[in-house]
């Protein structure tokens, strides 16, 4: 029998809050973290003027990075690495897992991904090279490597188990958690620190996504209503940033040390669309395969699932395709299913989207609360027969809470996690 894997620690740095409690409470209350870009001069030629940023500053609900890393660290690390380190610190404190003994460190691994490299560092280094070769920082290459978030976490805590990085565009965070789950299931480790981190709010990144016509550009004067998953007026996603980290643990290992258990990871499904570089398969075949495989891996039936935390980014095509796939997957039990997307509240964190939303799904299972899909005033036709948890959170009344978490990325890469409340 496979080893059971539970969630024992959570950490987050998100647009909705600088820790898990703030992020979750603001999400449940229907809050929205999307606002106008502060430095508009740098974005003058870019059609999109809105983003979802981590609140930084010295206030009680703002992130003061200087309290977490030194100035010398800032020269070596990308902002995504810093976000990841801060979120992992909260998660490990929450799990009460910072072992000193060698055997525990050897059985603890890290699996944290990044969707995009630090484009600011790349642009600045290119300009420096034009001046002189010696102006290029010796830390440039480590700063832009996708595996350095995992590397910094591993080095800080001395974890010598699997040190693994996933970079699968917007499916990164979900894949990272799924891979960590399998590492524990297959006895490669007893504890895994996993998730994703992203910090790519910059002119080049926004310009690139605008040229793809992926970003919302029609709500610059009304940012709070810009991201509207499943709504007929949706017209693109809003860029977000941040990190979310989960501590996964083999069940007996967690029970032996009397750890707090939030939920259980039950299954993991992966698939490829084999269709298009950016657009999902028109019939949602890749999404359907990922969901089927996650349910099969969990040894469950579709009727056991009563909530889906959707990938839904607020793009016209993507949301519709995902809803069609969900309808096919749960055709006979659709009346018992709830589906929501939290991206209306925090934007799309790209490589850190799947893990932040997995964290919210874990908390949904733990607290029997379904997070809302905000800005949903006129549901699209594909979702007419689905409870999309419009605008206000709902009590989750199923006898056992079991959910799917979907994440899809450019290149047709798909991931799905099956997450459920822990039962002894």
């Amino acid at each position: 029998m496979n080893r059971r894997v539970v969630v024992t620690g959570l950490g987050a740095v998100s647009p909705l809050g600088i820790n898990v409690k703030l992020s979750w409470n603001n999400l449940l209350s229907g809050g929205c973290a999307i606002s106008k870009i502060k430095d508009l001069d740098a974005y003058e030629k870019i059609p999109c003027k809105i983003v979802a940023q981590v609140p930084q500053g010295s206030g009680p609900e703002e992130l003061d990075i200087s309290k977490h890393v030194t100035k010398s660290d800032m020269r070596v690390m990308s902002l995504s690495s810093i976000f990841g380190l801060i979120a992992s610190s909260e998660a490990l404190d929450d799990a009460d897992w910072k072992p000193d003994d060698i055997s525990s460190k050897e059985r603890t691994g890290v699996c944290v991904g990044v969707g995009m490299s630090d484009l600011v560092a790349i642009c600045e280094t290119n300009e420096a090279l034009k001046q002189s070769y010696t102006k290029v920082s010796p830390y440039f290459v480590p700063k832009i490597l996708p595996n350095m978030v995992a590397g910094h976490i591993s080095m800080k805590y001395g974890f010598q188990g699997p040190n693994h990085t996933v970079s699968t565009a917007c499916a990164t965070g979900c894949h990272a958690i799924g891979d960590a789950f399998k590492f524990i299931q297959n006895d490669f480790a007893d504890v895994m620190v996993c998730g994703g981190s992203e910090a790519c709010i910059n002119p080049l990144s926004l310009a690139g996504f605008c040229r793809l016509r992926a970003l919302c550009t029609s709500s610059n004067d009304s940012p709070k209503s810009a991201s509207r998953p499943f709504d007929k007026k949706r017209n693109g996603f809003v860029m977000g940033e941040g990190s979310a980290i989960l501590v996964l643990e083999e069940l007996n290992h967690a029970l032996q040390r009397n750890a707090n258990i939030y939920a259980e990871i039950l299954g993991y499904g992966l698939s490829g669309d084999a269709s298009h570089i950016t657009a999902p398969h028109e019939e949602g075949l890749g999404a359907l395969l990922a969901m089927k495989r996650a349910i099969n891996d969990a040894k469950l039936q579709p009727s056991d699932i009563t909530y889906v935390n959707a990938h839904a980014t607020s793009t016209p095509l993507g949301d519709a395709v995902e809803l069609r796939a969900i309808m096919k997957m749960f055709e006979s039990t659709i009346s018992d299913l709830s589906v929501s997307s939290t991206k209306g509240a925090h934007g799309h964190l790209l490589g850190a989207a799947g893990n932040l939303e997995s964290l919210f799904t874990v908390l949904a299972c733990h607290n029997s609360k379904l997070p809302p899909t905000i800005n949903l005033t006129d549901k699209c036709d594909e979702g007419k027969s689905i409870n999309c948890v419009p605008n206000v959170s709902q009590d989750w009344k199923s006898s056992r809470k079991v959910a799917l978490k979907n994440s899809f990325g450019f290149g047709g890469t798909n991931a799905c996690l099956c997450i459920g409340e822990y039962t002894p």
Side-chain angles (χ1 to χ4, degrees):
M1 290 181 64
N2 284 329
R3 294 163 17 123
R4 293 176 67 181
V5 181
V6 293
V7 182
T8 58
L10 301 171
V13 175
S14 87
L16 284 170
I18 58 173
N19 55 43
V20 170
K21 184 178 179 180
L22 281 172
S23 298
W24 176 243
N25 288 343
N26 285 334
L27 177 67
L28 286 188
S29 65
C32 181
I34 298 170
S35 61
K36 278 196 172 185
I37 297 169
K38 294 176 182 178
D39 182 19
L40 280 175
D41 290 345
Y43 296 82
E44 181 184 1
K45 298 178 181 178
I46 300 169
C48 180
K49 312 289 186 187
I50 53 175
V51 291
Q53 292 181 289
V54 170
Q56 292 193 42
S58 55
E61 296 186 359
E62 295 178 325
L63 182 67
D64 187 346
I65 287 177
S66 65
K67 291 182 178 179
H68 297 272
V69 293
T70 65
K71 289 184 178 179
S72 59
D73 287 335
M74 291 183 195
R75 288 195 294 270
V76 177
M77 297 179 188
S78 65
L79 184 57
S80 61
S81 288
I82 294 170
F83 285 160
L85 277 170
I86 295 170
S88 65
S89 177
E90 182 187 9
L92 289 164
D93 284 341
D94 187 36
D96 192 23
W97 185 251
K98 291 182 180 178
D100 293 323
D101 61 291
I102 294 299
S103 60
S104 292
K105 290 183 177 181
E106 288 179 348
R107 295 289 294 173
T108 303
V110 183
C111 182
V112 178
V114 174
M116 294 179 66
S117 294
D118 188 338
L119 298 184
V120 173
I122 293 171
C123 291
E124 289 177 348
T125 303
N126 183 58
E127 291 302 313
L129 180 59
K130 291 178 182 178
Q131 298 177 44
S132 168
Y133 155 76
T134 58
K135 295 286 186 180
V136 174
S137 168
Y139 302 115
F140 167 63
V141 171
K143 200 170 184 178
I144 65 168
L145 290 176
N147 71 310
M148 288 310 293
V149 185
H152 284 300
I153 295 169
S154 174
M155 288 182 282
K156 181 175 180 178
Y157 299 103
F159 296 149
Q160 293 180 296
N163 188 322
H164 181 60
T165 292
V166 180
S167 187
T168 49
C170 303
T172 294
C174 207
H175 274 135
I177 296 169
D179 288 355
F181 161 62
K182 287 300 178 184
F183 289 155
I184 296 175
Q185 252 197 358
N186 291 295
D187 203 18
F188 291 2
D190 294 323
V191 181
M192 289 295 301
V193 181
C194 59
S197 191
E198 198 77 89
C200 59
I201 294 177
N202 56 70
L204 181 57
S205 180
L206 261 69
F209 280 104
C210 277
R211 290 290 290 158
L212 277 174
R213 298 184 179 179
L215 293 182
C216 175
T217 58
S218 64
S219 299
N220 290 331
D221 295 324
S222 52
K224 300 295 183 189
S225 60
S227 181
R228 38 197 324 114
F230 308 136
D231 193 86
K232 284 184 177 179
K233 294 181 180 178
R234 69 191 188 278
N235 71 345
F237 74 81
V238 177
M239 183 82 74
E241 64 177 4
S243 177
I245 299 294
L246 281 64
V247 176
L248 304 189
E249 194 165 347
E250 192 273 326
L251 175 59
N252 290 324
H253 188 277
L255 293 175
Q256 286 170 7
R257 64 184 196 89
N258 199 29
N260 176 52
I261 296 175
Y262 285 100
E264 183 171 1
I265 308 297
L266 300 169
Y268 177 37
L270 309 84
S271 72
D273 282 349
S275 178
H276 190 272
I277 59 171
T278 57
H281 190 284
E282 289 182 358
E283 298 303 317
L285 296 183
L288 186 62
L289 279 173
M291 288 188 284
K292 280 183 178 178
R293 290 166 181 171
I295 294 171
N296 289 341
D297 188 47
K299 298 177 175 59
L300 297 174
Q301 299 297 320
S303 57
D304 295 313
I305 311 300
T306 52
Y307 173 57
V308 176
N309 186 291
H311 178 69
T313 63
S314 188
T315 58
L317 179 60
D319 291 16
V321 165
E322 184 173 9
L323 286 173
R324 284 198 288 269
I326 289 170
M327 284 291 295
K328 289 178 183 176
M329 184 75 246
F330 300 98
E331 186 175 7
S332 62
T333 60
I334 200 68
S335 61
D336 300 319
L337 187 73
S338 297
V339 179
S340 72
S341 170
T342 61
K343 288 186 174 77
H346 54 68
H348 186 9
L349 276 64
L350 304 185
N355 47 303
L356 178 63
E357 293 153 21
S358 292
L359 183 150
F360 290 148
T361 306
V362 165
L363 288 173
C365 292
H366 187 65
N367 295 297
S368 300
K369 281 286 188 182
L370 298 175
T373 307
I374 69 168
N375 298 322
L376 182 52
T377 56
D378 189 6
K379 196 190 301 181
C380 62
D381 293 339
E382 291 83 0
K384 287 295 184 186
S385 59
I386 301 175
N387 171 27
C388 291
V389 197
N391 302 307
V392 179
S393 64
Q394 298 176 5
D395 291 333
W396 191 356
K397 298 179 180 179
S398 301
S399 57
R400 187 191 180 198
K401 284 74 183 174
V402 183
L404 295 185
K405 168 61 211 149
N406 287 336
S407 282
F408 315 130
F410 283 176
T413 181
N414 308 299
C416 181
L417 293 169
C418 184
I419 301 169
E421 67 174 311
Y422 165 66
T423 57

